[in-house]
Amino acid sequence: MKRRWRCLLRGIGAIALLTRVTGVAAQGAPPDGEPTPHTYRRTADTALHAYVFSPARRAPSRPAVLLFHGGGWTEGAPDWVFDAARQFAASGMVAIAIEYRLANDTLTPRDQRDDACAAFRWARDSARPLGLDPTRVAGYGVSAGGQLVGLLGTRGCADAPGRAPQGGPDAMVLLSPALDLARDPYFVRLLRGRGVVADYSPVAQQRGRGVPTLIVHGEQDSLTPAGAVRRFCTTQRAAGGRCALQIYPGVGHLLTRNLSNQMSEYDPDPALRRTGLAAQVQFLRTLWRLGPPARGR
């Protein structure tokens, strides 16, 4: 399993290099289409950044979406989701790509959960200067980033069993999320004995209606099988919640067309990626009744 994830990371990294943004203005106004960086958290070892894409038409209280990249919890960078962030900003939302610490010999997904909670807390505390509505903050997560968003959308940021989610997203839009980790030995190793896997598995943490959710997934996903997202939505709907699925046939993890090797020879279907992202943008626009995007965006 560990080898499979590492192969996937190399494939994702190769694709990301084709689209990632390699520079961010550190001071002054950013170039057109580029984000404004902010420090949302300082740890003993590093400063963590949030990259803010503001809509062309500023308003005092826009919906927002925080974006979390994938990378198997051990690799990745915020600019992997910059293109998606631009699409959300073009639709009229404040889009914020989040940097979180990567798991290694000392850091675990427990630390990443703390980073994600800190990011949502910072965004809501900074609502006025960022021009966002603190009651309409969504989470966008890709693969491992989908696990982080999914965990906050189910368990929340309060470690009180049985309580409704607190401090997490008000809605979720996920791409090939890792939602069921109960039988994933790779994730067990990443935790390094510092937690119980079920506490980090969104399927196991579902309580009540949850938050409105849209999941985009490949039917032939061999890394995060589609059965897990179906179970997630079935449970949420049974409790009276809203959970929509866009499952595309003939593609695998992150909508790759190469089903024989979904890791090291990653080949995403560009049309389906555009369609899936458009569905996620529209889901949030409809949920929060946003008007038409600015002309020319």
Side-chain angles (χ1 to χ4, degrees):
M1 177 67 72
K2 186 174 182 179
R3 181 176 178 275
R4 292 175 64 199
W5 276 102
R6 284 178 173 172
C7 289
L8 171 71
L9 298 178
R10 287 196 292 271
I12 294 175
I15 296 297
L17 287 173
L18 298 176
T19 57
R20 67 192 301 181
V21 177
T22 56
V24 175
Q27 295 179 346
D32 184 40
E34 296 302 303
T36 301
H38 298 261
T39 298
Y40 77 87
R41 188 182 194 198
R42 294 186 185 275
T43 69
D45 302 316
T46 190
L48 295 173
H49 299 97
Y51 298 89
V52 179
F53 294 80
S54 298
R57 290 180 179 173
R58 297 300 298 269
S61 190
R62 292 276 191 180
V65 55
L66 273 57
L67 296 92
F68 294 81
H69 64 81
W73 299 277
T74 62
E75 295 190 24
D79 55 8
W80 286 19
V81 292
F82 276 12
D83 285 347
R86 291 188 180 95
Q87 293 299 311
F88 285 108
S91 76
M93 290 174 258
V94 179
I96 308 174
I98 299 298
E99 176 187 19
Y100 58 89
R101 291 172 292 172
L102 302 177
N104 54 28
D105 291 341
T106 58
L107 298 171
T108 74
R110 179 174 182 171
D111 300 293
Q112 296 171 327
R113 174 181 174 270
D114 291 345
D115 293 343
C117 287
F120 277 96
R121 184 166 54 250
W122 170 82
R124 291 189 171 104
D125 288 346
S126 306
R128 179 167 293 184
L130 294 178
L132 64 84
D133 180 351
T135 69
R136 296 187 294 172
V137 181
Y140 170 92
V142 180
S143 192
Q147 178 267 334
L148 287 173
V149 174
L151 183 63
L152 269 58
T154 53
R155 180 171 180 150
C157 293
D159 287 318
R163 297 180 61 181
Q166 297 181 0
D170 299 303
M172 301 191 295
V173 282
L174 310 175
L175 172 61
S176 299
L179 297 182
D180 188 354
L181 301 167
R183 291 173 293 277
D184 190 336
Y186 170 71
F187 192 83
V188 172
R189 288 193 291 272
L190 288 180
L191 276 177
R192 299 185 177 277
R194 299 173 191 170
V196 178
V197 173
D199 291 343
Y200 294 86
S201 182
V203 166
Q205 293 300 312
Q206 285 183 299
R207 304 183 181 98
R209 294 165 53 90
V211 300
T213 302
L214 171 63
I215 302 174
V216 173
H217 215 81
E219 179 70 58
Q220 303 301 317
D221 194 323
S222 61
L223 198 62
T224 57
V229 301
R230 287 193 173 100
R231 289 194 298 276
F232 185 90
C233 273
T234 296
T235 300
Q236 188 155 310
R237 291 169 185 160
R242 180 177 178 182
C243 191
L245 290 175
Q246 292 272 10
I247 298 183
Y248 296 109
V251 291
H253 193 65
L254 302 186
L255 310 185
T256 183
R257 293 174 290 194
N258 186 352
L259 301 182
S260 63
N261 187 338
Q262 296 187 28
M263 286 76 72
S264 60
E265 296 182 14
Y266 179 63
D267 179 30
D269 186 304
L272 291 183
R273 288 292 292 268
R274 288 193 298 270
T275 299
L277 180 58
Q280 292 170 324
V281 170
Q282 185 60 27
F283 178 80
L284 295 183
R285 289 179 58 83
T286 301
L287 180 68
W288 289 323
R289 299 184 181 180
L290 275 168
R295 180 175 299 177
R297 298 289 291 178

